[in-house]
Amino acid sequence: MAPRNAEQEKEVLEWIFQILGEPVPSGSYEDILKDGVVLCNLINKLAPGSVKKIQTRGTNFQLMENIQRFQAAIKKYGVPEEEIFQTADLFERRNIPQVTLCLFALGRITQKHPEFTGPILGPKMADKNERTFTEEQLRAHQAELSLQMGYNKGASQAGHGGFGNTRHM
């Protein structure tokens, strides 16, 4: 598990509350985010109507639903599934760094949404880097046998026992 990074956590909170237009509340990072209310308000600011129902108080189960609604909403917004934290990572403080990573991913994705003009979290994403080639340039290498074509001068993996060395019997 990655160590926690207080600098990044502070950056995330400042970014969230800049978007929400509220001062950063006092309290620990995970306590501010734990019930999912702030997260739901955040995604509703980024993509209005993403989370219809936000439980401001209730049982742990109801509060965990906030987190799950947030996760579903950011997935729809474009955050890759592998970057989204598990509910327990936040709610049970199992993996707070993963929560931070996820929010940085969300911050990165906002840059792909032209309607979002708010503050940027993390490094600015690169814009498209288009290259144009002439037909001639594209055709030039078709005659060559690329090394990726699998030409290996008759070598085979016969006798090779998976990783590392051959099998000694």
Side-chain angles (χ1 to χ4, degrees):
M1 198 160 79
R4 290 183 60 170
N5 181 329
E7 236 352 82
Q8 286 182 337
E9 291 177 7
K10 184 171 170 271
E11 203 180 329
V12 165
L13 285 180
E14 283 171 359
W15 176 74
I16 290 173
F17 287 96
Q18 264 181 318
I19 290 172
L20 295 178
E22 296 167 20
V24 177
S26 59
S28 70
Y29 179 71
E30 59 272 31
D31 285 340
I32 293 169
L33 301 178
K34 181 181 177 191
D35 62 10
V37 174
V38 166
L39 296 175
C40 289
N41 288 332
L42 171 66
I43 191 64
N44 279 344
K45 268 276 201 271
L46 298 176
S50 293
V51 178
K52 307 276 184 281
K53 183 171 177 238
I54 303 173
Q55 296 282 149
T56 48
R57 57 181 58 82
T59 63
N60 280 355
F61 182 74
Q62 288 168 310
L63 298 176
M64 282 164 77
E65 281 186 338
N66 286 340
I67 298 173
Q68 286 155 358
R69 290 184 185 119
F70 167 76
Q71 291 161 329
I74 64 172
K75 188 173 158 193
K76 220 168 80 186
Y77 191 70
V79 177
E81 193 152 0
E82 62 275 11
E83 294 195 70
I84 298 175
F85 63 90
Q86 303 294 312
T87 306
D89 289 345
L90 173 57
F91 204 79
E92 296 168 17
R93 297 181 170 79
R94 286 212 189 134
N95 190 350
I96 298 296
Q98 186 59 46
V99 175
T100 306
L101 273 176
C102 172
L103 290 165
F104 266 95
L106 176 60
R108 205 175 57 233
I109 298 298
T110 59
Q111 297 175 42
K112 288 188 165 179
H113 288 263
E115 75 281 2
F116 178 74
T117 53
I120 285 175
L121 175 65
K124 190 164 170 13
M125 277 180 90
D127 292 321
K128 262 201 325 212
N129 183 356
E130 287 192 35
R131 296 180 168 86
T132 45
F133 293 103
T134 63
E135 270 300 303
E136 198 181 350
Q137 286 170 315
L138 291 172
R139 258 191 255 113
H141 75 91
Q142 282 178 349
E144 299 164 24
L145 185 59
S146 154
L147 292 175
Q148 291 172 338
M149 302 270 191
Y151 175 68
N152 56 14
K153 301 192 188 78
S156 83
Q157 289 189 327
H160 179 62
F163 299 111
N165 233 326
T166 50
R167 213 159 143 191
H168 303 289
M169 299 300 248

